[in-house]
Amino acid sequence: MTRRRAKARPVAVTNAALRVGVKVMPWIPSWLKLLLAGGRSVTIDGNTLDPTIQLLRAGQRITGTGGLGAADDVDFARALMRNSHVVMGANVDVPTTDLAIPGPGGPLRARHYRPTGTAVAPLLVFFHGGGFVVGDIESHDGLCRLICRDAATHVLSVDYRLAPEHKAPAAVDDCVAAYRWALGHAAELGVDSSRIGVGGDSAGGNLAALVALRSRDEGIPQPALQALLYGVFDLRAKTRSRSLFSDGFLVTEQETDWFADLYLDGTDIAADDPRVSPLKAADLSGLAPALVITAGFDPLRDEGNEYAAALRSAGVAVDHRQFDSLAHGFTSIAAFGGASAAATAAVISAIRAHLTRS
């Protein structure tokens, strides 16, 4: 694929625009958001886009602040992801402790979020999104704080190794090691060892699914839950949703292809290898209950729907929820209000319900 070299702009410009948006957008009524975005709803494949996202897209086009904007600049993309997500992240006060836990390539940085007012509680081992290339503990700190507070659960956020410095399957190996470590250290974390789940968004959803598969195959106890938020389940899927939403819906085909190249190039692992694409696994039986979240305007929608159906066909308990009006990464823009905020609250409520009854 021929990639367009994205026009670089200072991270500070993006952050300034986001700060204004976070303050103003939640107070704008939906009808006015639609008017400001051009006055006409966007309806594709039977779904109508949330007015907040429509206005956000319009603002990105006008200001040139959409996407990662760094088709071949990993450092820039990482800085943009981290700083923009910190600006948009929830400012929630929960106790945290930064840790170093053992990993196959050396110590892994992790952050433990502890719920207040509870004794022993469940734990969600969380793997951040970012295409296996960008993202870290800081970029997803706000989301982890929200999950901790509103799901009344411990969260262990893991800084797994990133590509291109560390190719596949390094990220998977790290996440399996982190989950195994959590199982063995439940008491010191104040965690109910029978209610330890795994979860993540986008690439993190992929990693959580692969942790469940690897755990089954390696004789490690299954998680209490796999929370898969708009995950990538087939790294080179050729689906209808990947075609429909290839550009202009918060993540682009250019970016997903770039991420996959950085993750896989130079390895002996193909994009359709089940070691990196869980949808290609020959056997999905015996896995943990799954909460599968998809979004109507997400390029990854169809493979998420396929994975939910495949899990269910294999006898796995599946709670599949699609938010038709939303786009990829909607939890990261919940601060703008609208349907993304409501859906994020619903997802966290579902995580709490599943871990409470597990």
Side-chain angles (χ1 to χ4, degrees), residues 8-20 63-65 76 80 84 87:
R9 75 278 181 190
V11 172
V13 173
T14 299
N15 290 349
L18 291 174
R19 286 191 186 95
V20 173
T63 61
T65 56
F76 179 85
L80 183 58
S84 63
V87 170

Side-chain angles (χ1 to χ4, degrees), residues 4 10 18 36 53 63 110 112 137 139 153 175 204 268 271 332 338 358:
R4 302 183 306 274
L18 291 174
L36 293 170
I53 296 180
T63 61
H112 177 207
I137 287 178
S139 68
T153 185
C175 293
D268 63 351
S332 67
S358 62

Side-chain angles (χ1 to χ4, degrees), residues 78-150:
R78 286 175 178 167
L80 183 58
M81 172 82 159
R82 180 185 306 112
N83 290 302
S84 63
H85 278 56
V86 167
V87 170
M88 296 185 291
N91 185 19
V92 173
D93 185 17
V94 296
T96 66
T97 303
D98 282 7
L99 307 169
I101 63 178
L108 298 172
R109 184 181 175 219
R111 180 168 294 161
H112 177 207
Y113 302 79
R114 300 184 302 280
T116 58
T118 60
V120 175
L123 168 69
L124 183 72
V125 184
F126 184 86
F127 312 122
H128 66 79
F132 315 100
V133 174
V134 302
D136 56 21
I137 287 178
E138 304 306 335
S139 68
H140 285 65
D141 180 71
L143 177 58
C144 289
R145 288 176 181 274
L146 271 181
I147 294 171
C148 177
R149 184 192 68 183
D150 296 345

Side-chain angles (χ1 to χ4, degrees), residues 231-243 253 256-257 260 271-272 277 279-280 299-304 306:
V232 53
F233 300 108
D234 180 352
L235 266 61
R236 291 293 192 200
K238 300 297 181 185
T239 59
R240 175 175 171 79
S241 62
R242 287 219 184 198
S243 176
E253 182 182 26
T256 57
D257 284 350
D272 61 355
S277 291
L279 188 55
K280 298 299 184 179
L300 308 184
R301 178 195 69 190
D302 291 353
E303 65 204 74
E306 289 178 32

Side-chain angles (χ1 to χ4, degrees), residues 55-81:
L55 181 55
L56 180 61
R57 293 172 69 225
Q60 288 176 334
R61 288 194 298 271
I62 292 169
T63 61
T65 56
L68 290 174
D72 51 12
D73 189 338
V74 170
D75 290 338
F76 179 85
R78 286 175 178 167
L80 183 58
M81 172 82 159

